[in-house]
Amino acid sequence: VGSTVMVSDANGENFSNYAGKNGLPSKDVRKKIAISPTHPNYVYIVLLGKDFGCISGIFETTNGGEHWNEITGEENALFSPCASHCQCWYDLAMTVDPFNHRRLFLGGVTLWTWAEDTGWNSAANGNSDPSNYYYIHSDIHNIIFDPTKKGRVYVIGDGGVFRSTDADNLYPTWKHVSKNFNVTQFYAMGAGFYGNILGGTQDNGTQYISYDYNSKKSATHVFGGDGFYSEISSIKPKVLFCESQYGNME
């Protein structure tokens, strides 16, 4: 809550501020907490500092908060989940592997894993080529493990749902499993004379439905980035106008 970390007593009735105690800093604003489901004395906290969007440190306790150790400092060229523009004010997720209480999954713009013996490793990349089994769409908001199946985890973000069945590997592989899960956020849309539709979406570019070769649930990606206002020419219906972030237009 704000710059604090509130901890309750055993009955969950009385809370006290934990930030600034036992080695856990209090100066940073946004925080994300991850507790091991199998070893609850193991707790991890990520702190955001610069512009409230870049990681300033990640801390771990192995004894239920009696003492905190810093396992990672500020982001750098070799560890950058929030990217150079510090975007974790928007996307931030952290989860402990239920089958390994010393393994952490952290998502921001990109996905990373940490273990005591390996340190930080990039766990996916943004190359969406169909032959790339290591692809996860950027901007991650949740990471959910299957507690009954070792290695199975779901990553949820701006690109939908991705699943791994070998998440216990150092470099997991991923499959996009969003078919029939239609939750794309549209900012604006343009409609053509013949019923064709063009729409700009959050982090999924500009999507086009012509009905000639797709359907209401199957659009064609015509422009990348964040899509915004879009229009279809009423004079020449094959002429499309679309925008992306920073004022770009095609």
Side-chain angles (χ1 to χ4, degrees):
V1 180
S3 61
T4 67
V5 175
M6 304 302 295
V7 181
S8 77
D9 57 21
N11 296 322
E13 296 177 352
N14 300 302
F15 285 80
S16 58
N17 182 9
Y18 218 59
K21 300 177 181 179
N22 302 339
L24 182 65
S26 61
K27 62 179 181 178
D28 301 278
V29 178
R30 186 178 181 188
K31 300 173 174 64
K32 179 73 72 170
I33 301 171
I35 303 172
S36 168
T38 52
H39 294 73
N41 280 331
Y42 284 78
V43 182
Y44 303 84
I45 295 183
V46 55
L47 312 176
L48 297 187
K50 183 181 178 182
D51 300 323
F52 311 136
C54 259
I55 292 172
S56 63
I58 300 176
F59 288 76
E60 171 198 55
T61 179
T62 62
N63 51 24
E66 292 183 11
H67 185 73
W68 294 87
N69 297 306
E70 185 180 66
I71 61 175
T72 302
E74 294 184 355
E75 293 191 51
N76 53 64
L78 300 178
F79 173 65
S80 56
C82 304
S84 60
H85 50 285
C86 295
Q87 195 175 287
C88 282
W89 56 267
Y90 170 69
D91 38 26
L92 184 63
M94 188 167 63
T95 304
V96 183
D97 187 337
F99 296 92
N100 183 353
H101 60 283
R102 300 310 304 274
R103 190 155 190 246
L104 192 62
F105 278 64
L106 174 67
V109 177
T110 54
L111 181 69
W112 294 72
T113 62
W114 175 86
E116 189 175 23
D117 55 343
T118 62
W120 287 103
N121 287 280
S122 176
N125 62 54
N127 182 359
S128 60
D129 187 293
S131 63
N132 178 21
Y133 296 108
Y134 299 98
Y135 165 68
I136 290 182
H137 193 283
S138 58
D139 298 333
I140 295 161
H141 300 286
N142 209 343
I143 305 166
I144 301 173
F145 273 89
D146 183 340
T148 67
K149 187 73 173 180
K150 185 178 181 181
R152 179 177 290 172
V153 63
Y154 298 87
V155 173
I156 296 95
D158 281 11
V161 182
F162 290 80
R163 181 185 66 208
S164 176
T165 57
D166 57 6
D168 48 338
N169 291 343
L170 184 60
Y171 299 105
T173 56
W174 302 92
K175 183 178 180 180
H176 195 195
V177 292
S178 296
K179 186 175 182 179
N180 294 326
F181 183 55
N182 296 286
V183 292
T184 303
Q185 177 184 343
F186 283 86
Y187 286 117
M189 302 191 74
F193 180 79
Y194 298 100
N196 45 333
I197 298 171
L198 184 69
T201 69
Q202 165 60 38
D203 211 13
N204 284 268
T206 302
Q207 306 289 333
Y208 179 62
I209 296 176
S210 68
Y211 298 110
D212 293 335
Y213 46 85
N214 51 30
S215 67
K216 291 184 290 185
K217 292 186 178 181
S218 177
T220 300
H221 185 271
V222 296
F223 196 55
D226 292 310
F228 295 103
Y229 284 97
S230 56
E231 284 291 349
I232 301 172
S233 172
S234 59
I235 301 172
K236 294 184 178 181
K238 291 185 179 180
V239 176
L240 311 176
F241 298 90
C242 50
E243 291 181 329
S244 65
Q245 67 270 34
Y246 308 119
N248 296 317
M249 189 173 75
E250 282 283 322

